[in-house]
């Protein structure tokens, strides 16, 4: 086989492999669906935190959250990063757990805040 034909064949195979890999990933989960899951998880997480922690105290400080518009973008970006390699099934299971946690967290709405203690543990492996 001539050198030019060999290069063209290898180039064609590389393009074909790239198209196949991209198609497999898109079939696995389209970007629009993935970002929708991340946004939904961010909203759930924000609501859970507000229900469970708003008004509680750590030392002399009372926990107050900034407006949702300020916190959702960071949470959304966090869930995009954390869930990058998860399958649709894994994301749905996580969302179901978060929805259950949200239902449980509603019991704290309107109740007086508690005094919380914070413990910082250092990871012995990190130096």
């Amino acid at each position: 086989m001539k050198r030019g034909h060999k290069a063209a064949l290898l180039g064609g195979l590389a393009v074909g492999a790239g198209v196949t890999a991209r198609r497999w990933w898109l079939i696995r989960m389209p970007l629009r669906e993935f970002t929708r899951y991340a946004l939904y998880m961010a909203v759930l997480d924000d609501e859970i935190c507000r229900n469970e922690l708003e008004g509680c105290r750590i030392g002399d400080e009372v926990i107050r959250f900034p407006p949702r518009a300020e916190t959702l973008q960071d949470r959304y970006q966090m869930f995009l990063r954390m869930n990058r390699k998860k399958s649709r099934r894994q994301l749905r299971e996580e969302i179901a757990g978060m929805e259950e946690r949200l239902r449980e967290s509603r019991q704290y709405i309107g109740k007086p805040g508690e005094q919380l203690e914070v413990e910082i543990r250092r990871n012995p492996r990190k130096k």
Side-chain angles (χ1 to χ4, degrees):
M1 187 177 271
K2 290 185 179 180
R3 192 171 242 176
H5 294 292
K6 195 174 195 179
L9 180 63
L10 288 175
L13 287 173
V15 169
V19 168
T20 302
R22 185 174 186 276
R23 181 173 288 159
W24 175 81
W25 188 83
L26 287 176
I27 290 171
R28 187 173 142 213
M29 182 162 345
L31 183 61
R32 182 176 286 177
E33 182 180 5
F34 175 69
T35 56
R36 193 172 0 135
Y37 283 142
L39 181 59
Y40 185 53
M41 292 172 89
V43 171
L44 288 171
D45 187 59
D46 188 70
E47 190 65 27
I48 291 167
C49 290
R50 288 174 190 277
N51 290 348
E52 292 181 358
L53 299 173
E54 186 95 51
C56 291
R57 294 177 307 282
I58 298 176
D60 294 336
E61 297 291 319
V62 177
I63 299 173
R64 297 277 176 236
F65 287 91
R68 279 185 177 84
E70 294 177 23
T71 61
L72 281 180
Q73 185 63 32
D74 290 334
R75 289 178 195 271
Y76 171 69
Q77 294 297 325
M78 177 190 70
F79 280 107
L80 284 175
R81 282 189 309 273
M82 286 176 34
N83 297 325
R84 201 174 307 163
K85 296 185 179 185
K86 293 183 182 173
S87 68
R88 181 181 283 123
R89 181 186 54 75
Q90 289 171 316
L91 289 175
R92 286 180 179 164
E93 287 173 0
E94 248 183 79
I95 287 172
M98 291 178 79
E99 288 171 337
E100 178 62 32
R101 175 100 185 261
L102 177 61
R103 282 189 286 280
E104 293 170 4
S105 75
R106 290 190 176 130
Q107 67 181 316
Y108 299 107
I109 297 174
K111 291 191 177 179
E114 299 178 17
Q115 181 70 33
L116 302 175
E117 293 181 23
V118 177
E119 179 180 328
I120 299 174
R121 295 183 186 180
R122 301 216 187 269
N123 188 344
R125 288 183 273 159
K126 289 185 178 180
K127 291 181 182 181

